[in-house]
Amino acid sequence: MRLFTYERASDAWQAASAVAVQPEAKFISGGTNLLDLMKLEIERPAHLVDISRLALDRIEETPDGGLRIGAQVRNSDLAADPRVRSRYSVLSQALLAGASGQIRNKASTGGNLLQRTRCLHFYDRNMPCNKRNPGSGCAALEGFNRMNAVLGASEACIAVHPSDMAVALVALDATVETVSPAGATRTIPISDLHRLPGSTPHIETELALGEMITAVTLPPPLPGRQIYRKVRDRASYAFALVSVAAVVDVSGGHVRSARVAMGGVAPKPWRAVEAERGLVGKEASDRTFVAAAEAALQGAVGRGDNDFKIPLAKRTVRHALATAAEM
Amino acid sequence: MTEKTANKAESLPHGIIGQPLNRVDGPLKVTGRATYAHEHELGDKPAYGHILGAAIAIGRIVDIDTAEAERAPGVIKVMTFRNAPAQPAFGAPVTPTVPEVFTRARPMLSTDRVRYYDEPVALVVAETFEAARAAAGLVRISYEKEEGAFDLAGRLDEAYAPGRTNAGFETDSAIGDFEGAFASAAVTVDATYRTPYEHHNPMEPHATLAVWSGDELTIYTGAQTLANFQAGIANTLQIPPDNVRIVSPFVGGGFGSKLIVHPDTVLAAIAARELRRPVKVALTRQQMFANAGHRAEMAHQVRLGCDGDGRLAAMGYDVWSATSRFEEFCEQTAVFARSLYAAPNRLTRHRLVPVDVNRGEWMRSPGEAPGMLAFECAVDELAERLGLDPVELRRRNEPAEDPERGIPFSTRNLVACIDEGARRFGWEKRNAMPARVQERRKLIGMGMAAAIRPNYIGAAAARVAIDAGGDVTVRLDMTDIGTGTYTILTQIVAESLGVPLSAIRIQLGDSSFPRTAGSGGSWGAASSGSAVHDACSKLREKIIQAALSDAADDAANAEVSFVAGEVWIDGRAERLSDLLRRVAPNGIEAEGTVQPHSRNNLYKNYSQHSYGAHFAEVAVDRDTGEIRMRRMLAVIGAGRILNAKTARSQILGGMIWGLGAALMEETVLDPRHGQFINHDLAEYHVAVNGDVPDMEVVFLEEHDDKANPLGAKGLGELGVCGAGAAIANAVYNATGVRVREFPITLDKLLPHLPTAAI
């Protein structure tokens, strides 16, 4: 771990400007991902701005009937919030499917969105990795890539985004609020927060230098039943091979509305827009769900060890939809 | 003198031995007062060493630039092959004798050659751990990389036959005409399985504090066998063994990965000598994957041939294992099969394929863990081919004597374990047709397998001292690696001397105490327990003699017993402490020993093993292929149980290891660069609490009088043996899919699971 300096931020704007002004600075909150990466010198910040004590730790109702979640709300608190559990159960389920109790107690909402990939080759500094060392190549393309992406990847990078929480937020159409070093605020639809790798996999989000997430806002609750289904190699503390967030409203035997998002398959939490489009108005039947699962994986490309993710994701989407539709 | 004692260990069925006593060291551990290797604090503030590992698997260091690291804050020294002290050369891949593998010199930073990925190439020593680690990132190294060989499956034609296996077993065994009998057998199975690289991953990473005082070196570390560490350090540093003291009172898990010195110990010792101050070195979790041993990748071909009734005519087991090119390690994977089932024609062979990876080491149940995982699946396959219940197939092949050595078994309760297990588990409810039992969207299956593990005993000595107040101190260089040694030795002493538990202090983990064989090969309890038992017997005799000479009694005919803090002599009771104050005001001590099995005729003349039967029930998600355990049961016949609770914990731990091996544990070796890729606990999956189902352990009443005076046999590794195969067989029974490449992950099942209508 490189030696670094540290400061505790007093307010959000000051934190953002500190990261912009200080060379090689980064925000730190729970540190559950950043500290691991620093020990391995995959992240080598010279300066840390601690934002964990900022007054961004509340969950408030919004005038339109949604919820505004402070960026410093801990994952465990968010999962346990009665309003989240009753109105946005897919979010609570996703949070509890992630990491371990200890990590959820430390990890923040904003930090969870910005955690970095678990690609095994990203974690070995001696190996080429375009995300870690732009232009060096991708060790995963021809190497062991069982955990890697089948959707949205590029020849430069096939890493997946590891968050469970973000998959639920994408299904719920959340928006992200930020503050810039100049003090300006803006909102970003969550689906636009993360970028696809293209030829620049080291640029992972739309956030500018020093721009800090202050809150995540949920629109009013969706009608229908909410399911988060995570498929993994062991019962707990394992990243998703495939996960599916599904919110399905069925009335009179027909799908009135549907949201489908997937984790573990792409460089960002993946909204399956085509699958959703194909569901609305259709009979809530196995045939409909099979077609939606096919649509969700349209264009998927396996890289060898991860080929199984394509049929696995289809089967999981189909089953999650059926469960959400209470079939 | 006849000693008709009511408290000889072997004669008291309901004494303290065997009771489920809580760990006597438990309060120390849960309150953080048990001191582990890296936690030792002494007078002088130590310096901290951080190891920098090689970025290539095979080749040569061309240049090392340490200037920037040396200028970094707090750095004291950067040690590389250029300035490290001279050490003996590593030597040949195979040591002349078996024991030398444990004691040979293991030089560090002594050449420019790199033999495996992440091999130590520099030690950065600084005032703090953080400073050392930061500076390690500033060392610049250029390498001349050479092409390495890492693949096993594609290079079986390069295999060679080693001179012996681990623990000195014959490489091959052959009885009768295997090929002929197999070719003409009515029903056969010829199946090849693959088991992957695995890592021990004890919770406590390897760490050492080295402290010199003049010519004398004290090593505080986590060690299973102190004598190996003492010899390994003495041979590497070329100093007399008597000048090396090893201290290891508590060990946070070993599983075979702490039997010999590793880079932390050697480098701490060297650096502390150079710097003339204490030095601490710990391996990071990631570094442990290359530098603290592993189980090698293997291919297993099992060929079984039997008649229509399921009686084996031919049993063949060939194993190919990867081995380090520079130090051979041949796991004795097929050896258990030489004793397991009857068959007139038999063949077992071990072959090795050299790879440019660090040496394999002893990992919990070396041999049986990977071997029974494969072999007991093949037996299940044969049962299905025969249309015979796997329980019945095993019953029909129960040998009357050791099938290859032609000598009787000491105690062998394999069939009793299987029958008791089948009854308790509800085996009769199993549907022999696979993929027929479904609950909602889960496929349910049951499987079983046998367990066998050789019983060993190693040379051990122990000193027991009692003071005039009746307080007992026991010293031996045995270790407690989480197994419960402190507790069972306390029980043996309490029963032998009739003293309360509170009067007993067991001191372990110091090489200045009488030497034992340490913890390994499941022999710790029997070896150290027998030595302590012997010491207590001798101490009792000394006490009796002192008492009788004092009373001028007729020593020859006295009846003596030690019970509840009192000594009974010819019907007269006296408090032990009163007696000692009277006849031995300065206390009495005695030393006891036990001979190793190699010098024991009962071992030569009887085939000694522990046995068990595992039963497992799994649920497989038919949509995703996820496998989740539901129930496991082990029925164990392992001689006398010294503590029902710690023994149960040992078996449970073994069963969980079996579960890990069957379903999740695999270290992936990158065939391009030779590094273990998933080298942390997030990506190397061991079973977590959520994966562990309802588990039950049943011990059969047993006393093996051929094994040792206690009647106990080893069981620390028995729980692993066959446990994974029972699970794999349950997965087959649930799904009808036989996966022969371990671990059985869902991606291997999925293509064979039909997509079922919702």
Side-chain angles (χ1 to χ4, degrees):
Chain A
M1 184 187 278
R2 181 186 183 189
L3 300 179
F4 60 90
T5 54
Y6 168 92
E7 72 174 283
R8 192 176 290 170
S10 51
D11 64 57
W13 170 75
Q14 183 260 327
S17 58
V19 165
V21 168
Q22 293 263 16
E24 302 179 81
K26 281 194 103 68
F27 300 111
I28 184 167
S29 180
T32 57
N33 187 216
L34 180 60
L35 287 177
D36 283 352
L37 293 169
M38 286 170 65
K39 288 176 189 172
L40 298 169
E41 298 205 12
I42 294 161
E43 295 275 12
R44 304 182 77 247
H47 184 70
L48 289 183
V49 178
D50 185 348
I51 56 174
S52 65
R53 289 170 177 80
L54 297 181
L56 299 171
D57 58 350
R58 284 189 305 185
I59 304 172
E60 302 160 313
E61 316 232 359
T62 60
D64 67 349
L67 277 186
R68 186 171 181 276
I69 303 156
Q72 294 308 317
V73 172
R74 302 292 120 183
N75 285 180
S76 46
D77 293 334
L78 183 57
D81 186 275
R83 294 160 295 185
V84 173
R85 289 178 54 164
S86 62
R87 299 175 211 165
Y88 305 97
S89 113
V90 68
L91 176 57
S92 185
Q93 293 172 50
L95 283 159
L96 294 176
S100 65
Q102 293 92 328
I103 291 173
R104 292 195 295 268
N105 284 341
K106 284 294 286 179
S108 68
T109 305
N112 185 314
L113 290 173
L114 300 180
Q115 65 181 297
R116 306 201 67 191
T117 183
R118 303 296 305 201
C119 177
L120 296 169
H121 307 274
F122 175 71
Y123 269 75
D124 187 341
R125 286 203 312 143
N126 297 322
M127 293 299 126
C129 173
N130 289 321
K131 193 183 273 297
R132 176 169 30 76
N133 185 11
S136 61
C138 173
L141 269 180
E142 305 295 329
F144 182 72
N145 54 30
R146 181 170 179 269
M147 296 298 287
N148 291 72
V150 294
L151 287 165
S154 70
E155 292 306 304
C157 183
I158 57 171
V160 298
H161 192 266
S163 171
D164 290 297
M165 181 192 81
V167 179
L169 290 179
V170 164
L172 294 170
D173 250 344
T175 53
V176 172
E177 295 177 24
T178 70
V179 60
S180 78
T185 60
R186 66 165 171 157
T187 61
I188 307 170
I190 185 112
S191 284
D192 296 341
L193 175 67
H194 298 97
R195 285 198 191 187
L196 290 180
S199 59
T200 55
H202 58 290
I203 305 170
E204 295 176 351
T205 69
E206 288 299 317
L207 300 178
L209 177 67
E211 187 174 7
M212 188 183 83
I213 297 174
T214 52
V216 175
T217 301
L218 301 177
L222 295 163
R225 191 153 177 237
Q226 307 187 7
I227 294 292
Y228 189 74
R229 177 71 169 94
K230 178 175 179 177
V231 182
R232 51 181 147 183
D233 281 320
R234 63 179 168 188
S236 123
Y237 192 49
F239 293 95
L241 297 168
V242 164
S243 70
V244 175
V247 183
V248 181
D249 185 31
V250 176
S251 172
H254 285 73
V255 177
R256 288 171 53 118
S257 66
R259 296 280 178 80
V260 182
M262 294 184 289
V265 293
K268 59 186 280 187
W270 193 260
R271 181 83 175 262
V273 181
E274 289 303 316
E276 293 175 3
R277 213 168 279 154
L279 284 163
V280 176
K282 297 276 169 46
E283 188 191 5
S285 69
D286 189 32
R287 231 175 84 188
T288 302
F289 302 146
V290 168
E294 288 295 328
L297 273 297
Q298 195 66 47
V301 179
R303 306 281 177 168
D305 299 314
N306 68 350
D307 290 348
F308 75 98
K309 283 190 173 183
I310 299 169
L312 177 63
K314 288 179 185 172
R315 294 167 83 127
T316 310
V317 168
R318 174 189 175 203
H319 189 241
L321 288 172
T323 309
E326 299 191 78
M327 284 183 65
Chain B
M1 182 180 70
T2 56
E3 199 194 341
K4 292 179 187 166
T5 58
N7 50 359
K8 264 196 166 175
E10 60 270 32
S11 60
L12 234 203
H14 303 298
I16 184 77
I17 293 180
Q19 297 297 317
L21 188 68
N22 286 338
R23 286 168 193 273
V24 296
D25 50 334
L28 281 182
K29 287 183 172 172
V30 298
T31 55
R33 287 175 295 153
T35 309
Y36 290 85
H38 204 260
E39 299 173 332
H40 284 280
E41 293 294 345
L42 299 157
D44 289 345
K45 182 187 172 304
Y48 293 82
H50 184 75
I51 297 169
L52 180 65
I56 61 168
I58 183 94
R60 199 174 68 82
I61 298 167
V62 177
D63 191 35
I64 299 191
D65 180 358
T66 57
E68 196 183 348
E70 281 161 356
R71 285 196 303 270
V75 170
I76 302 164
K77 187 175 181 80
V78 180
M79 200 185 284
T80 70
F81 78 92
R82 288 181 173 156
N83 61 354
Q87 299 153 70
F90 180 75
V94 184
T95 52
T97 67
V98 172
E100 285 164 282
V101 75
F102 296 99
T103 60
R104 72 186 301 175
R106 299 190 174 276
M108 288 285 143
L109 307 178
S110 58
T111 82
D112 61 349
R113 291 291 306 170
V114 173
R115 304 174 299 177
Y116 62 90
Y117 194 92
D118 212 19
E119 179 174 16
V121 290
L123 181 76
V124 180
V125 188
E127 293 294 341
T128 65
F129 169 76
E130 291 78 9
R133 193 170 192 176
L138 303 174
V139 177
R140 303 278 165 256
I141 306 182
S142 53
Y143 299 95
E144 200 171 85
K145 186 178 171 180
E146 296 166 16
E147 279 304 310
F150 309 107
D151 180 42
L152 173 70
R155 295 174 53 238
L156 296 186
D157 55 339
E158 295 173 39
Y160 70 95
R164 59 177 185 251
T165 76
N166 176 51
F169 292 103
E170 295 289 333
T171 303
D172 297 353
S173 74
I175 289 178
D177 170 21
F178 167 79
E179 297 293 351
F182 182 73
S184 60
V187 181
T188 61
V189 162
D190 179 350
T192 299
Y193 303 82
R194 181 186 163 271
T195 53
Y197 286 101
E198 292 174 347
H199 280 78
H200 313 70
N201 276 314
M203 284 305 294
E204 181 200 25
H206 294 55
T208 299
L209 166 63
V211 184
W212 286 84
S213 172
D215 289 338
E216 298 192 341
L217 169 63
T218 306
I219 298 277
Y220 300 82
T221 191
Q224 295 180 226
T225 306
L226 304 193
N228 293 348
F229 275 61
Q230 185 182 41
I233 285 295
N235 288 335
T236 307
L237 273 64
Q238 303 274 280
I239 57 177
D242 287 348
N243 287 7
V244 182
R245 179 177 164 226
I246 310 292
V247 181
S248 186
F250 296 99
V251 184
F255 311 117
S257 75
K258 293 173 182 172
L259 284 169
I260 58 171
V261 292
H262 288 100
D264 58 306
T265 308
V266 173
L267 290 169
I270 290 173
R273 181 154 72 170
E274 292 280 299
L275 300 175
R276 299 172 185 279
R277 73 183 269 193
V279 172
K280 275 186 185 182
V281 178
L283 298 184
T284 65
R285 179 62 64 182
Q286 286 83 359
Q287 288 174 335
M288 287 170 64
F289 282 75
N291 289 292
H294 59 257
R295 189 182 328 269
E297 182 181 14
M298 294 177 209
H300 314 244
Q301 184 185 17
V302 184
R303 288 179 290 168
L304 302 173
C306 62
D307 65 18
D309 291 333
R311 287 186 175 76
L312 284 169
M315 185 281 295
Y317 187 7
D318 286 279
V319 184
W320 294 262
S321 171
T323 182
S324 169
R325 201 183 294 282
F326 65 86
E327 186 172 13
E328 182 181 287
F329 185 75
C330 181
E331 194 161 330
Q332 66 270 39
T333 306
V335 168
F336 75 89
R338 297 173 187 168
S339 305
L340 186 52
Y341 298 122
N345 303 287
R346 317 170 68 89
L347 180 67
T348 66
R349 291 183 292 209
H350 298 84
R351 296 293 179 267
L352 295 175
V353 176
V355 292
D356 293 300
V357 171
N358 196 5
R359 66 158 308 179
E361 292 186 24
W362 312 263
M363 183 165 161
R364 199 172 188 179
S365 315
E368 294 82 8
M372 298 200 84
L373 187 56
F375 190 89
E376 285 292 286
C377 283
V379 174
D380 200 66
E381 296 201 39
L382 183 66
E384 199 200 21
R385 208 153 288 181
L386 278 158
L388 190 64
D389 190 306
V391 161
E392 180 56 26
L393 175 61
R394 287 170 173 89
R395 269 200 212 107
R396 288 187 189 174
N397 290 287
E398 174 69 3
E401 58 175 21
D402 188 294
E404 302 208 4
R405 294 171 66 200
I407 55 171
F409 295 109
S410 56
T411 54
R412 176 173 165 121
N413 277 312
L414 176 58
V415 170
C417 288
I418 291 173
D419 288 347
E420 180 67 9
R423 188 183 67 76
R424 286 175 179 261
F425 202 69
W427 182 253
E428 76 282 356
K429 296 195 191 82
R430 169 180 176 268
N431 189 330
M433 289 291 288
R436 291 299 165 90
V437 182
Q438 191 169 339
E439 291 178 17
R440 298 167 65 91
R441 300 191 69 79
K442 306 280 189 213
L443 301 165
I444 312 300
M446 286 191 206
M448 60 83 56
I452 181 173
R453 169 81 195 163
N455 182 54
Y456 299 124
I457 198 155
R463 194 177 304 123
V464 179
I466 190 163
D467 67 16
D471 284 338
V472 181
T473 303
V474 181
R475 289 179 162 176
L476 59 168
D477 84 349
M478 178 59 185
T479 50
D480 188 331
I481 60 173
T483 45
T485 314
Y486 281 107
T487 311
I488 57 152
L489 295 183
T490 302
Q491 289 171 275
I492 290 169
V493 173
E495 186 158 314
S496 299
L497 298 179
V499 295
L501 300 171
S502 59
I504 300 164
R505 199 153 62 112
I506 307 287
Q507 296 188 317
L508 306 178
D510 188 325
S511 63
S512 65
F513 298 159
R515 174 159 296 182
T516 70
S519 300
S522 301
W523 68 7
S527 308
S528 64
S530 296
V532 168
H533 179 252
D534 185 48
C536 288
S537 299
K538 287 177 174 152
L539 184 73
R540 220 163 37 196
E541 276 172 36
K542 284 189 176 183
I543 294 170
I544 294 163
Q545 252 158 17
L548 295 181
S549 65
D550 185 64
D553 251 334
D554 179 2
N557 294 314
E559 279 192 28
V560 182
S561 64
F562 287 66
V563 182
E566 293 181 330
V567 183
W568 289 73
I569 301 177
D570 283 341
R572 292 193 308 272
E574 182 175 8
R575 289 192 55 76
L576 177 61
S577 52
D578 292 344
L579 172 66
L580 288 166
R581 265 188 218 105
R582 192 157 52 74
V583 303
N586 297 321
I588 302 184
E589 67 174 55
E591 187 155 322
T593 58
V594 67
Q595 294 291 316
H597 60 249
S598 57
R599 286 203 240 140
N600 184 336
N601 278 336
L602 287 173
Y603 199 83
K604 215 171 290 167
N605 299 333
Y606 290 90
S607 175
Q608 297 191 12
H609 297 84
S610 301
Y611 297 91
H614 290 284
F615 292 80
E617 182 178 306
V618 303
V620 180
D621 188 301
R622 55 186 268 191
D623 296 302
T624 63
E626 287 164 292
I627 305 163
R628 297 289 181 259
M629 297 301 305
R630 288 190 152 188
R631 297 190 286 149
M632 285 179 84
L633 164 70
V635 180
I636 301 296
R640 186 181 191 198
I641 299 306
L642 300 174
N643 178 318
K645 183 176 281 184
T646 58
R648 175 176 177 272
S649 294
Q650 283 298 293
I651 299 296
L652 288 176
M655 292 159 77
I656 295 167
W657 269 56
L659 156 58
L663 301 182
M664 50 191 86
E665 292 192 41
E666 174 175 21
T667 329
V668 179
L669 186 72
D670 191 317
R672 302 167 299 176
H673 310 289
Q675 87 279 33
F676 290 117
I677 313 175
N678 53 333
H679 57 209
D680 61 36
L681 290 177
E683 308 297 340
Y684 180 91
H685 288 163
V686 299
V688 296
N689 277 344
D691 297 300
V692 176
D694 282 344
M695 284 192 166
E696 192 184 353
V697 179
V698 175
F699 292 106
L700 297 186
E701 189 91 14
E702 193 181 304
H703 182 107
D704 193 331
D705 63 355
K706 311 294 188 303
N708 50 60
L710 294 165
K713 290 191 284 197
L715 54 71
E717 295 166 299
L718 183 63
V720 189
C721 307
I727 294 166
N729 293 336
V731 171
Y732 176 77
N733 181 244
T735 62
V737 182
R738 178 66 71 177
V739 176
R740 298 189 184 89
E741 284 201 5
F742 292 99
I744 307 174
T745 47
L746 64 87
D747 46 316
K748 297 171 190 166
L749 276 185
L750 204 62
H752 311 285
L753 292 181
T755 50
I758 300 288

